[in-house]
């Protein structure tokens, strides 16, 4: 039923809104892990809907709440459905809550503070009661502005700085490293380029290298949200800065895709990457029994990591007739007794306030569910690994030439081989320029960083090394798993 | 069903395509078996081998073990990101297999563990011969298990503690 116009900005629903009540504060934190260890320190306390919840200083609000058993963060604006988190890395709006009176706060990237007041947000956010604490906008010049501190952004910053450029690096998370900080598995690729080393170790090395270079200035916790005629505005919770850069490298990564099925917004349905963030960054169990949807590399790797964290896997289902990821990853979970079910899809998430089961079914050659094959799978978490979409918002605002390229995850920037877009001052690298691997993202970031420095007139740029990196990148993509990427690149690597 | 549908590699495929060492070779001493049958961009095993026993054509090539050169030294097991390398040994009185193991708790030497196949099916029990606990860099532990039936050498690919 359509509601009348002119309704209040805040929740105008008359019936009672149901919020999953936290009866007992749980502790879903992982004590021991074969690869990881957490030093959590002394707890602080936040207030959640009037109730005291313990949290550890290095946690974000959403993670601390989840660890205590809170699965619902808001109620949706139109249908007042309970909403939990989805991406856990600041990309979606699923975990927005009212924090210290400020609505629409992405709690997954906001660090906890003792005494913080967190409230479930019902419907649209109500305007803050008090004056917003923003104290105007500072302005700063930047020679090379790198947006995103993941594998591509870190390499871009490092190589631009090593070539003589001054670099400003923006990152919206609590710590640098992007998604590398949750990759506990050893990387594939060339032994020359970190293969055999775990992602978490690579992240540590890159962050140390960045810290050792004074020419790189890091703005941690800053989200770049606006492109204003060549200037980039970014903000954290306290202040906003308008950067005037000479060159910009957009390395904003990618966001997990949603799948269409009944009740897909039920708390407990979230991206496989969110599960990884919970367990591998914060040491929090995502659930007790997980159904993984998608048998690409992400789905297979995260399933293995869930088992390493002591969590039971219900099954891995995959719509395609074949496992999409590497067989070696599939082998790791298969030999632990996990059933990989190809030609299967999820039809429905079952539960009132949280996932209690999933209904799955076999699909035919046209990916349509076959009636009569429905099966109920008991689980408290449904992880989606249905691919990623490049985060191109800033590139879109800057109006660089884009091309829809399904092989690369969606809309991506057209560019030349140095990752320079149709705007000569703007580069894209990593998943933001096409979803691939962390190892290839690092190589793209290096190529872009070197080119930005060269374009600025720096003379110390190792151009031979840039070409060599590109050759290595081509070698990595030369196999059957790189064929799709190469097809996609033909559509976007079109600039001179 | 093929291994692409289930994720479980068919041992017959491994045998017919030269991925498994002969019985005669296994009797001579420990030997590495690399169950990596897809062209994926990955090569750390080649560089880890000090005996030039692993060959690959280009970074996307499939690794092949020269069973005559391989000494079963385990260097490749420690670096393989796919955890797809195992050591089979039928040279001693009790046959044994070494598997990479990244779970807790770690088994203890002399303890009894459940032997699992490529599909996770229980194959019986074995005794832990040794555990090479994870070093700080690699963090993959290697577990050697021995058992009575030599035919299990080609089947045991995982263990369950307790």
């Amino acid at each position: 039923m359509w509601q009348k116009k002119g309704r209040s900005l805040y929740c105008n629903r008359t019936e009672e809104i149901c919020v999953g009540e936290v009866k007992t504060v749980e502790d879903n934190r992982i004590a021991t892990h074969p690869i990881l260890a957490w030093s959590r320190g002394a707890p602080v306390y936040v207030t959640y809907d009037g109730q005291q919840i313990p949290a550890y200083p290095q946690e974000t609000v959403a993670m601390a709440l989840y660890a205590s058993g809170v699965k619902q963060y808001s109620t949706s604006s139109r249908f007042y459905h309970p909403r939990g988190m989805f991406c856990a890395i600041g990309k979606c709006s699923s975990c927005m809550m009212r924090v210290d009176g400020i609505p629409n706060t992405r709690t997954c990237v906001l660090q906890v503070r003792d005494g913080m007041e967190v409230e479930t947000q019902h419907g649209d956010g109500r305007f803050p009661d008090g004056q917003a604490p923003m104290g105007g906008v500072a302005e700063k010049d930047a020679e090379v502005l790198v947006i995103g501190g993941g594998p591509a952004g870190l390499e871009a910053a490092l190589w631009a700085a090593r070539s003589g450029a001054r670099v400003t690096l923006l990152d919206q998370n609590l710590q640098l490293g992007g998604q590398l900080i949750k990759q506990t598995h050893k990387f594939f690729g060339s032994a020359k380029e970190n293969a055999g080393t775990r992602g978490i170790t690579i992240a540590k090395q890159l962050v140390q290298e960045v810290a050792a270079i004074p020419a790189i200035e890091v703005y941690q916790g800053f989200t770049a949200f606006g492109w204003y005629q060549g200037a980039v505005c970014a903000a954290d919770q306290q202040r906003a800065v308008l950067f005037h850069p000479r060159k910009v490298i957009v390395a904003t990564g990618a966001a997990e895709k949603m799948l269409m099925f009944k009740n897909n917004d039920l708390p407990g349905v979230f991206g496989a990457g969110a599960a990884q963030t919970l367990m591998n960054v914060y040491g929090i169990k995502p659930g007790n029994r997980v159904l993984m949807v998608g048998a690409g590399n992400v789905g297979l790797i995260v399933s293995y990591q869930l088992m390493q964290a002591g969590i039971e896997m219900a099954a891995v289902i995959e719509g395609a007739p074949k496992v999409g990821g590497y067989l070696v990853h599939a082998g790791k979970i298969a030999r632990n007794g996990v059933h990989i079910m190809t030609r299967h899809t999820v039809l429905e998430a079952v539960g009132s306030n949280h996932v209690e089961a999933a209904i799955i079914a076999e699909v035919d050659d046209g990916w349509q569910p076959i009636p009569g094959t429905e099966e109920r799978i008991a689980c408290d978490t449904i992880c989606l690994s249905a691919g990623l979409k490049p985060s191109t918002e800033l590139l879109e605002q800057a109006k660089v030439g884009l091309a829809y390229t399904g092989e690369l995850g969606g809309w991506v920037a057209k560019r030349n081989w140095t990752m320079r877009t149709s705007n000569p001052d703007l580069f894209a690298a990593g998943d933001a320029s096409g979803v691939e691997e962390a190892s290839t993202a690092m190589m793209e970031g290096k190529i872009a960083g070197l080119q930005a420095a060269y374009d600025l007139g720096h003379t110390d740029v190792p151009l031979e090394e840039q070409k060599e990196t590109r050759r290595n990148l081509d070698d990595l993509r030369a196999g059957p798993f790189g064929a799709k990427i190469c097809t996609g690149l033909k559509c976007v690597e079109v600039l001179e | 069903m093929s291994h692409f549908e289930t994720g479980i590699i068919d041992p017959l495929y491994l045998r017919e395509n030269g991925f498994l060492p002969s019985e005669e070779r296994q009797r001579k001493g420990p030997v590495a078996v690399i169950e990596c049958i897809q062209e994926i961009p990955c090569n750390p095993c080649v560089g880890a081998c000090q005996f030039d026993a692993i060959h690959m054509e280009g970074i996307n090539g499939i690794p092949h073990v020269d069973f005559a050169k391989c000494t079963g030294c385990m260097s490749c097991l420690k670096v393989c990101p796919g955890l797809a390398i195992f050591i089979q040994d039928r040279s001693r009185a009790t046959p044994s297999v070494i598997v990479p193991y990244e779970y807790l708790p770690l088994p203890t030497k002399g303890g009894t563990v459940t032997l699992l196949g490529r599909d996770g099916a229980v194959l019986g029990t074995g005794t832990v011969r040794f555990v090479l606990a994870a070093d700080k860099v690699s963090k993959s532990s290697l577990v050697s298990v021995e058992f009575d039936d030599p035919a299990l050498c080609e089947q045991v690919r995982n263990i369950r503690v307790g």
Side-chain angles (χ1 to χ4, degrees):
Chain A
M1 212 169 65
W2 294 102
Q3 286 171 323
K4 278 188 201 163
K5 281 184 183 176
R7 63 198 168 114
S8 92
L9 280 172
Y10 190 49
C11 169
N12 60 350
R13 187 170 158 117
T14 46
E15 306 113 84
E16 200 185 336
I17 297 168
C18 192
V19 178
E21 197 189 338
V22 179
K23 292 190 183 73
T24 49
V25 177
E26 301 169 14
D27 189 6
N28 295 315
R29 291 179 182 84
I30 300 163
T32 55
H33 190 280
I35 314 288
L36 299 164
W38 298 273
S39 48
R40 296 192 170 99
V44 297
Y45 290 87
V46 299
T47 312
Y48 156 72
D49 286 348
Q51 195 173 354
Q52 285 250 303
I53 300 271
Y56 291 91
Q58 291 311 310
E59 291 174 345
T60 64
V61 173
M63 300 297 114
L65 292 181
Y66 199 90
S68 294
V70 179
K71 308 260 166 108
Q72 177 180 351
Y73 299 151
S74 62
T75 37
S76 67
S77 300
R78 282 177 66 199
F79 300 115
Y80 297 95
H81 286 186
R83 281 281 160 84
M85 75 168 130
F86 183 74
C87 78
I89 53 167
K91 300 275 184 185
C92 72
S93 50
S94 208
C95 67
M96 282 184 179
M97 301 179 85
R98 197 175 171 86
V99 179
D100 291 334
I102 300 173
N104 300 339
T105 305
R106 290 173 301 167
T107 53
C108 71
V109 289
L110 179 68
Q111 191 166 10
V112 294
R113 193 176 23 77
D114 197 37
M116 208 173 224
E117 269 203 42
V118 185
E119 296 164 79
T120 305
Q121 181 168 318
H122 301 297
D124 297 337
R126 181 162 49 92
F127 196 73
D129 301 326
Q131 184 87 37
M134 284 291 179
V137 179
E139 298 199 35
K140 292 238 175 190
D141 285 330
E143 196 180 1
V144 176
L145 181 70
V146 178
I147 304 169
L154 289 171
E155 281 282 312
L158 282 170
W159 287 95
R162 281 171 189 157
S163 305
R166 279 178 302 106
V167 176
T168 304
L169 174 61
L170 308 181
D171 185 60
Q172 69 170 357
N173 289 288
L174 293 197
Q175 48 175 318
L176 284 176
Q179 306 319 306
L180 281 176
I181 60 170
K182 61 196 194 189
Q183 309 304 333
T184 52
H185 60 283
K186 292 175 189 165
F187 272 41
F188 286 68
S190 164
K192 285 184 286 199
E193 311 269 356
N194 286 315
T197 310
R198 292 181 198 276
I200 45 173
T201 313
I202 299 172
K204 216 174 278 173
Q205 286 163 359
L206 291 177
V207 172
Q208 278 169 5
E209 286 171 36
V210 164
I213 299 182
I216 304 175
E217 190 181 2
V218 181
Y219 283 76
Q220 197 68 51
F222 271 72
T223 302
F225 59 85
W227 174 275
Y228 300 95
Q229 298 180 337
V232 173
C233 200
D236 66 2
Q237 287 295 109
Q238 276 78 42
R239 59 191 178 129
V241 182
L242 185 64
F243 292 95
H244 298 282
R246 293 182 63 195
K247 300 287 172 193
V248 179
I249 299 172
V250 175
T252 43
E256 259 164 325
K257 288 179 181 168
M258 179 43 108
L259 278 178
M260 291 304 139
F261 58 93
K262 193 176 168 190
N263 289 341
N264 64 359
D265 62 342
L266 195 62
V269 178
F270 47 75
Q276 248 186 340
T277 299
L278 274 165
M279 66 185 171
N280 292 350
V281 180
Y282 297 99
I284 297 164
K285 279 172 112 176
N288 292 312
R289 191 173 148 85
V290 178
L291 173 71
M292 180 64 66
V293 182
N297 274 335
V298 172
L300 297 171
I301 289 170
V302 176
S303 296
Y304 177 64
Q305 293 175 355
L306 281 160
M307 286 188 288
Q308 287 183 299
I311 295 149
E312 189 188 347
M313 288 302 300
V316 177
I317 63 170
E318 164 64 53
K322 284 183 178 180
V323 170
Y326 298 165
L327 270 183
V328 288
H329 285 313
K332 281 187 223 175
I333 60 171
R335 63 178 181 258
N336 241 341
V338 177
H339 198 180
I340 299 174
M341 304 163 82
T342 43
R343 290 180 188 273
H344 277 77
T345 193
V346 58
L347 296 181
E348 182 182 349
V350 182
S352 51
N353 275 320
H354 188 262
V355 171
E356 288 158 25
I359 309 291
I360 66 166
E362 209 177 316
V363 294
D364 60 22
D365 290 337
W367 290 63
Q368 293 307 306
I370 302 170
T373 62
E374 296 86 358
E375 196 179 328
R376 185 188 166 100
I377 306 268
C379 57
D380 61 5
T381 307
I382 300 173
C383 277
L384 305 182
S385 57
L388 299 152
K389 175 196 166 295
S391 299
T392 52
E393 292 84 352
L394 286 167
L395 297 165
E396 287 166 34
Q397 286 188 39
K399 297 190 175 62
V400 304
L402 299 167
Y404 187 85
T405 315
E407 294 86 352
L408 300 176
W411 288 96
V412 288
K414 293 180 188 170
R415 70 279 193 141
N416 70 359
W417 76 270
T418 69
M419 312 308 291
R420 190 167 56 207
T421 68
S422 59
N423 178 337
D425 296 327
L426 225 166
F427 296 75
D431 276 359
S433 69
V435 174
E436 214 177 334
E437 301 277 336
S439 45
T440 51
M442 287 166 67
M443 295 159 104
E444 286 177 348
K446 179 175 174 178
I447 290 170
L450 290 169
Q451 191 63 35
Y454 180 78
D455 289 355
L456 285 163
H458 291 287
T459 48
D460 287 348
V461 184
L463 290 178
E464 244 338 288
E465 180 147 358
Q466 188 196 27
K467 290 199 186 83
E468 169 77 17
T469 305
R470 176 57 198 225
R471 278 192 293 272
N472 292 341
L473 194 49
D474 290 339
D475 285 348
L476 282 182
R477 291 165 172 162
F481 276 91
K484 202 172 89 170
I485 297 293
C486 292
T487 309
L489 287 176
K490 281 198 188 109
C491 303
V492 294
E493 234 177 55
V494 289
L495 304 183
E496 282 299 305
Chain B
M1 285 213 282
S2 83
H3 32 243
F4 295 109
E5 292 164 66
T6 59
I8 304 157
I9 298 178
D10 184 355
L12 199 68
Y13 178 90
L14 294 173
R15 171 155 304 289
E16 285 174 353
N17 290 279
F19 286 93
L20 297 175
S22 65
E23 198 182 311
E24 187 195 349
R25 170 62 189 86
Q26 290 183 67
R27 285 189 201 284
K28 283 186 184 156
V31 62
V33 175
I34 304 188
E35 302 197 352
C36 180
I37 64 168
Q38 248 175 342
E39 291 175 78
I40 54 178
C42 188
N43 69 4
C45 58
V46 177
C49 182
Q50 302 153 45
F51 304 98
D52 188 32
I54 304 175
H55 297 268
M56 190 185 280
E57 270 181 49
I59 185 148
N60 277 285
I62 292 169
H64 287 287
V65 182
D66 183 338
F67 296 123
K69 285 185 179 173
C70 175
T71 64
C73 74
M74 305 184 285
S75 296
C76 52
L77 264 80
K78 291 178 190 164
V79 297
C80 175
L83 306 187
I85 311 182
F86 311 89
I87 305 281
Q88 293 180 193
D89 185 2
R90 288 174 64 172
S91 65
R92 295 167 333 105
T94 33
S96 62
V97 167
I98 301 173
V99 297
Y101 193 74
E102 293 188 334
Y103 295 96
L104 289 180
L106 272 183
T108 44
K109 187 179 171 175
T112 302
V113 292
T114 307
L115 306 173
L116 305 173
R118 293 179 182 85
D119 56 355
V122 174
L123 300 170
T125 56
T127 308
V128 178
R129 236 181 100 219
F130 63 77
V131 178
L132 288 179
D135 58 70
K136 271 195 175 156
V137 182
S138 141
K139 289 189 177 161
S140 294
S141 299
L142 303 180
V143 177
S144 172
V145 282
E146 56 188 7
F147 33 81
D148 298 329
D149 182 2
L152 287 183
C153 275
E154 282 184 1
Q155 296 174 42
V156 172
R157 290 298 175 261
N158 194 14
I159 55 160
R160 188 189 300 146
V161 179

